[in-house]
């Protein structure tokens, strides 16, 4: 009897010890839902996001944590664990002060750079900090980056992803004329072939959205009418499914779902449903888009579970930025002409000189403005000025409609910082408190030699580029969901109040997987460590 009890007790103790031991994951997955706001999960009762919250650790105070808060900035920040000031580009316009792309001092927009330029710059500036490179050094399985947007996919995967998949150019001839081809790098035949397969989406139908400043084109971001080639976020989900099916020993998947962002730019339904007749007619809207994104999240979780690999995967579910309805919209109401309100200046690969926004004209007339970009904040690159010229320029900045604060770049030690030179007396209450807590810190994340001489922040609900927009310091633009699911969490369904940023995703994955600690990252795993088993 005694011996039987002894062995039973020992067996139970061993089971308890085994369950308490940390099980380090050997796969990593990052799922970005572009322009997803955290409150959407409860507001729209999204069951699979709620399921993920129950499975993982929820960071209730997650923020973008850098500027600009845009897709082309945030994706490489997530992958490389570096703040924009330590990345090749920090904004939608970059000044190549060090001459990495050509003669020093030329301006570029990263949107129009080649894959080789993107990869080369990341490799030169960031080295091997990529979380893909880190995971592959220990678990050398196949890796994937996928997004509808080319610049999201390429900059998510960078030079270390084995396969990068995105929507390709629209075919101009042949039996599938008017369909997107499959783009990317090293795209396997099981995704790209045969021509016209499930991944070739309609690239023509505008769904009646032509009157919008940011119209839809094709089925890249909506389901569409072709039951054999569903578009929108299902396209990304099916790429992930194919990759997992054909590469069972995969080690990293980075997937970015772009439909919420596209619909939010187009319809600005952040706070209320659209009344646009074309959207209502086609059933296109934020709620439907969110539910389809939620379905894709559920499908991925189900695939991982059915394949028995959920318990060996660390998953980060987040957004690259939030977004806001610009109820105070200061752009010009001209369909399809938002770029003219977003940029001014001439670079090596872009030119927007002939049609400046009227608010910029007084600044342009000073002769001191070199280049400018704006969305829910404004960036100004200037020529050298003396004290009196600078004083005049700063007074003009304060008069630009919608400006809440202005910051000037100044040297600090071996680097730079931004110093506030103006605050509107109308900045009050919660909005003022948020600015006091975050605005300078956010501005400093892009402070380097190439950064703009001035940053002006805009009031909540204010923007110049699109009616549904992001890019700046506003609370609704900065706040994002962040959920970490990992087999070595102390307790599923936990919540953390720690401020956690996108730059922290890289080191948090490394910490969960037990990878070698690095000292060359700007992010930290501090907010995750207390919730992991050791």
């Amino acid at each position: 009897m005694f011996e039987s009890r002894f062995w039973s007790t020992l067996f139970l103790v061993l089971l308890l010890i085994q369950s308490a031991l940390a099980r380090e994951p050997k796969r990593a997955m990052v799922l970005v839902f572009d322009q997803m706001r955290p409150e959407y999960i409860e507001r729209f009762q999204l069951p699979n996001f709620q399921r993920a919250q129950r499975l993982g650790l929820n960071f209730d105070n997650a923020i973008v944590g850098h500027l600009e808060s845009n897709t082309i900035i945030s994706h490489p920040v997530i992958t490389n664990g570096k703040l924009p000031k330590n990345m090749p580009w920090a904004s939608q316009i970059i000044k190549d002060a060090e001459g990495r792309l050509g003669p020093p001092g030329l301006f570029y927009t990263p949107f129009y750079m080649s894959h080789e330029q993107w990869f080369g710059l990341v490799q030169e500036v960031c080295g091997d900090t990529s979380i893909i490179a880190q995971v592959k050094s220990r678990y050398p399985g196949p890796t994937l980056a996928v997004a509808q947007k080319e610049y999201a996919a390429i900059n998510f995967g960078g030079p270390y992803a084995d396969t990068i998949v995105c929507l390709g150019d629209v075919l101009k001839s042949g039996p599938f004329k008017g369909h997107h081809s499959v783009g990317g790098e090293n795209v396997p035949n099981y995704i790209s072939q045969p021509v016209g397969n499930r991944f070739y989406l309609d690239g023509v139908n505008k769904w009646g959205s032509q009157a919008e400043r940011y119209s839809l084109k094709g089925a890249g971001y909506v389901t569409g009418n072709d039951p054999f080639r569903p578009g929108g976020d299902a396209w990304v989900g099916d790429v992930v499914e194919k990759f997992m099916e054909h590469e069972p020993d995969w080690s990293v998947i980075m997937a970015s779902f772009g439909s919420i962002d596209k619909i939010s730019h187009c319809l600005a339904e952040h706070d209320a449903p659209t009344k646009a007749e074309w959207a209502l007619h086609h059933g296109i809207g934020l709620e439907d888009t969110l539910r389809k994104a939620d379905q894709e999240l559920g499908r991925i979780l189900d695939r991982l579970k059915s394949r028995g690999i959920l318990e060996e995967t660390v998953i980060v579910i987040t957004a690259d930025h939030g977004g806001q309805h610009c109820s105070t919209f200061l752009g010009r109401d001209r369909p399809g002409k938002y770029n003219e309100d977003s940029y001014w200046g001439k670079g090596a690969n872009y030119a927007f000189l002939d049609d400046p926004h009227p608010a910029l004209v007084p600044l342009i007339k000073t002769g001191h403005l070199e280049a400018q970009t704006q969305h829910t904040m404004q960036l100004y690159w200037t020529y050298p000025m003396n004290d009196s010229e600078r004083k005049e320029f700063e007074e003009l900045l304060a008069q630009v409609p919608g400006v809440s604060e202005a910051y000037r770049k100044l040297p600090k030690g071996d680097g730079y910082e931004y110093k506030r030179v103006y605050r509107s007396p109308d900045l009050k209450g919660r909005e003022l408190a948020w600015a006091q807590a975050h605005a300078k810190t956010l501005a400093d994340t892009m402070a380097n030699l190439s950064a703009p001489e001035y940053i002006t922040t805009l009031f909540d609900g204010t923007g110049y580029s699109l009616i549904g927009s992001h890019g700046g310091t506003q609370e609704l633009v900065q706040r994002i969901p962040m959920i970490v699911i990992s087999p070595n969490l102390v307790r599923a369904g936990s919540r953390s109040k720690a401020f956690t940023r996108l730059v922290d995703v890289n080191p948090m994955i490394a910490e969960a997987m037990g990878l070698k600690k690095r000292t060359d990252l700007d992010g930290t795993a501090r907010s995750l460590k207390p919730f992991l088993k050791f």
Side-chain angles (χ1 to χ4, degrees):
M1 175 71 76
F2 173 79
E3 184 176 348
S4 174
R5 288 180 179 176
F6 170 80
W7 288 112
S8 298
T9 303
L10 179 61
F11 179 72
L12 289 173
V13 169
L14 290 173
L15 281 177
L16 288 171
I17 292 173
Q18 184 180 23
S19 66
L21 288 174
R23 290 168 291 170
E24 288 180 349
K26 60 181 182 180
R27 306 174 192 257
M29 177 178 283
V30 180
L31 306 177
V32 167
F33 292 86
D34 200 334
Q35 205 176 153
M36 173 81 179
R37 291 195 343 196
E39 77 269 17
Y40 290 163
I41 297 174
E42 295 303 318
R43 179 171 146 199
F44 292 98
Q45 290 293 297
L46 302 176
N48 291 300
F49 279 95
Q50 291 174 327
R51 172 186 170 192
Q53 288 180 325
R54 293 191 299 271
L55 289 172
L57 168 62
N58 308 276
F59 290 101
D60 294 333
N61 285 315
I63 61 172
V64 176
H66 63 254
L67 295 177
E68 294 175 326
S69 47
N70 282 322
T71 297
I72 203 165
I73 318 301
S74 292
H75 281 70
V77 165
I78 293 169
T79 300
N80 294 285
K82 296 274 195 178
L83 290 170
K85 67 181 179 181
N86 295 318
M87 293 285 295
W89 57 87
S91 60
Q92 296 181 134
I93 286 180
I94 58 173
K95 185 174 186 177
D96 185 19
E98 296 174 313
R100 291 191 173 103
L101 294 171
L106 293 181
F107 284 84
Y108 297 81
T109 175
F111 289 113
Y112 300 151
M113 294 195 306
S114 68
H115 295 188
E116 292 74 19
Q117 287 175 315
W118 279 329
F119 291 158
L121 286 173
V122 169
Q123 191 106 41
E124 179 181 352
V125 177
C126 300
D128 63 350
T129 63
S130 165
I131 191 60
I132 299 174
Q134 292 183 60
V135 174
K136 285 173 68 175
S137 69
R138 183 166 176 182
Y139 302 107
T143 58
L144 167 72
V146 56
Q148 294 110 312
K149 299 175 182 178
E150 179 188 34
Y151 56 87
I154 296 297
N155 289 298
F156 219 5
Y160 293 101
D162 298 309
T163 294
I164 300 177
V165 183
C166 62
L167 291 173
D169 294 335
V170 176
L171 299 175
K172 296 180 180 179
S173 61
F176 292 97
K177 177 182 178 181
H179 285 72
H180 282 284
S181 61
V182 180
E185 293 283 337
N186 301 317
V187 181
N189 285 340
Y190 58 78
I191 291 174
S192 65
Q193 298 298 319
V195 172
N197 70 14
R198 177 267 172 275
F199 296 108
Y200 284 67
L201 298 182
D202 164 41
V204 176
N205 195 331
K206 294 185 178 179
W207 313 102
S209 68
Q210 296 91 321
E212 306 295 339
R213 289 173 58 81
Y214 194 77
S215 61
L216 302 177
K217 191 173 182 181
Y221 302 92
V222 298
T223 302
N225 295 326
D226 186 344
F228 300 105
R229 301 179 184 86
D233 288 342
W235 184 89
V236 176
D238 281 354
V239 171
V240 172
E241 167 69 24
K242 275 286 185 184
F243 186 79
M244 291 172 64
E245 176 186 336
H246 286 266
E247 314 289 353
D249 58 341
W250 63 270
S251 60
V252 182
I253 293 176
M254 315 283 279
S256 182
F257 299 81
S259 295
I260 299 168
D261 181 73
K262 187 76 170 184
I263 298 304
S264 297
H265 280 316
C266 186
L267 296 173
E269 293 183 285
H270 302 81
D271 305 311
T274 185
K275 295 180 180 178
E277 291 184 5
W278 66 266
L280 297 173
H281 175 73
H282 290 288
I284 295 171
L286 176 62
E287 181 170 357
D288 180 69
T289 303
L290 286 167
R291 298 207 178 283
K292 287 172 179 172
D294 184 73
Q295 288 173 10
E296 294 311 309
L297 173 59
R299 287 175 62 199
I300 288 173
L301 293 175
D302 289 343
R303 290 170 197 144
L304 293 171
K305 185 175 181 180
S306 66
R307 286 172 169 82
I309 56 176
L310 182 61
E311 288 299 312
E312 58 184 49
T313 307
V314 56
I315 309 168
V316 178
I317 301 163
T318 188
D320 53 347
H321 50 74
Q324 66 174 14
H325 170 221
C326 294
S327 53
T328 302
F329 180 62
L330 300 173
R332 292 169 285 184
D333 189 13
R334 302 183 303 174
K337 301 280 283 185
Y338 62 91
N339 275 334
E340 285 74 5
D341 284 347
S342 303
Y343 306 98
W344 182 83
K346 179 176 173 57
N349 65 351
Y350 74 94
F352 293 99
L353 288 170
D354 299 332
D355 190 19
H357 189 283
L360 300 182
V361 171
L363 294 160
I364 295 170
K365 285 183 176 179
T366 67
H368 304 313
L369 186 60
E370 190 175 13
Q372 196 264 3
T373 183
Q374 58 188 9
H375 26 70
T376 70
M377 73 172 184
Q378 299 169 310
L379 308 180
Y380 298 87
W381 287 262
T382 63
Y383 296 108
M385 293 180 273
N386 61 37
D387 289 345
S388 63
E389 290 170 337
R390 189 171 295 283
K391 183 175 184 295
E392 176 195 7
F393 193 85
E394 290 175 1
E395 288 173 352
L396 289 172
L397 283 179
Q399 296 172 28
V400 173
V403 169
S404 57
E405 293 185 322
Y407 290 83
R408 176 188 170 190
K409 186 177 74 173
L410 292 169
K412 182 182 180 182
D414 295 332
Y416 296 86
E417 69 170 344
Y418 281 97
K419 180 181 178 182
R420 181 169 53 83
V421 294
Y422 169 74
R423 174 176 285 161
S424 169
D426 295 327
L427 190 62
K428 299 175 182 178
R430 183 185 179 104
E431 195 171 357
L432 172 61
W434 178 268
Q436 290 172 326
H438 298 286
K440 174 179 164 48
T441 301
L442 290 169
D444 284 344
T445 65
M446 64 186 306
N448 63 18
L449 179 64
S450 299
E453 277 66 41
Y454 287 96
I455 295 174
T456 54
T457 62
L458 302 179
F459 285 100
D460 287 355
T462 302
Y464 276 85
S465 175
L466 295 166
I467 298 175
S469 195
H470 51 81
T473 62
Q474 295 90 345
E475 184 173 0
L476 289 176
V477 169
Q478 283 287 320
R479 287 197 180 273
I480 53 174
M482 190 175 292
I483 305 166
V484 177
I485 301 172
S486 187
N488 52 355
L489 287 175
V490 172
R491 185 174 65 254
S494 298
R495 308 195 81 93
S496 170
K497 298 296 183 183
F499 270 99
T500 308
R501 309 158 297 167
L502 288 177
V503 75
D504 299 327
V505 170
N506 176 310
M508 287 198 300
I509 290 173
E511 183 72 26
M513 298 184 76
L515 303 180
K516 182 180 178 181
K517 290 179 173 57
R518 302 187 65 125
T519 60
D520 54 352
L521 301 177
D522 295 322
T524 174
R526 282 194 303 265
S527 58
L528 177 65
K529 278 185 179 181
F531 296 91
L532 291 177
K533 298 175 185 176
F534 290 100

